[in-house]
Amino acid sequence: MLQNKKGKIIAVCSAPKKGMIKHEIGEGTLIEGIGLEGDAHAGFMHRQVSLISMEDIRTMMAKLPNLVPGSFAENLTTEGFDLGQLKIGDRLKVGETLLEVSQIGKECHSHCEVFKQTGECIMPKKRKFTKVIKGGKVRSGDTIEFA
């Protein structure tokens, strides 16, 4: 049974080019079927918007204290919502948008800087990818919950 607990978005992150750490932008526009406007990963098949939790980032901060939202190239950093309970096909209401979980995790092919410094990567299990079903504004402080 899925929990009905609400969480919040603590960061909206974007980068103009692939391979860059994303930076917090405060708010952005999610475009239906595309992703975060202006982000290098927008339009990438079913991986339009990525999410990771601040709780998972904090776990990695024990080994690498300078990590911040966006360090794992996620678009939305969440807090207080158990991303681990998500299954493919689950729908999430985030601000005025609607997202559908499309992929759980992503293989770390090139061993990112975090892996090189800590010997581990959380992306294969912790990162979630979604498709934008209904676009709109998303902001830091918005609620994330099951739709």
Side-chain angles (χ1 to χ4, degrees):
M1 177 94 182
L2 297 174
Q3 296 178 2
N4 200 19
K5 185 177 179 183
K6 293 180 182 181
K8 68 178 180 175
I9 301 300
I10 63 165
V12 178
C13 304
S14 181
K17 294 182 181 177
K18 292 181 181 182
M20 297 176 67
I21 289 178
K22 294 186 188 299
H23 294 283
E24 187 170 356
I25 58 172
E27 72 174 55
T29 301
L30 297 185
I31 302 169
E32 184 177 322
I34 302 292
L36 181 62
E37 183 176 48
D39 184 65
H41 290 96
F44 187 72
M45 303 179 344
H46 64 283
R47 295 192 325 223
Q48 298 168 7
V49 176
S50 60
L51 297 87
I52 203 158
S53 75
M54 192 63 208
E55 292 86 351
D56 290 326
I57 293 173
R58 284 190 193 106
T59 298
M60 292 299 293
M61 287 173 72
K63 295 181 177 184
L64 198 58
N66 61 341
L67 293 174
V68 296
S71 293
F72 292 97
E74 76 279 5
N75 295 119
L76 303 176
T77 310
T78 68
E79 186 170 55
F81 184 85
D82 183 7
L83 295 177
Q85 68 183 326
L86 295 176
K87 306 282 185 270
I88 292 175
D90 285 345
R91 289 193 169 194
L92 302 169
K93 183 179 183 312
V94 179
E96 54 189 51
T97 71
L98 181 63
L99 305 176
E100 182 177 293
V101 178
S102 57
Q103 183 175 325
I104 308 292
K106 176 182 180 282
E107 189 175 341
C108 190
H109 294 289
S110 60
H111 294 307
C112 64
E113 287 306 309
V114 172
F115 182 90
K116 289 174 185 170
Q117 293 180 46
T118 66
E120 66 179 305
C121 183
I122 63 174
M123 289 198 294
K125 294 182 182 173
K126 302 294 185 176
R127 194 168 179 190
K128 307 301 187 259
F129 292 93
T130 62
K131 298 184 289 189
V132 181
I133 303 302
K134 178 185 173 230
K137 290 285 185 193
V138 64
R139 298 169 181 84
S140 298
D142 279 350
T143 299
I144 178 172
E145 61 186 315
F146 283 101

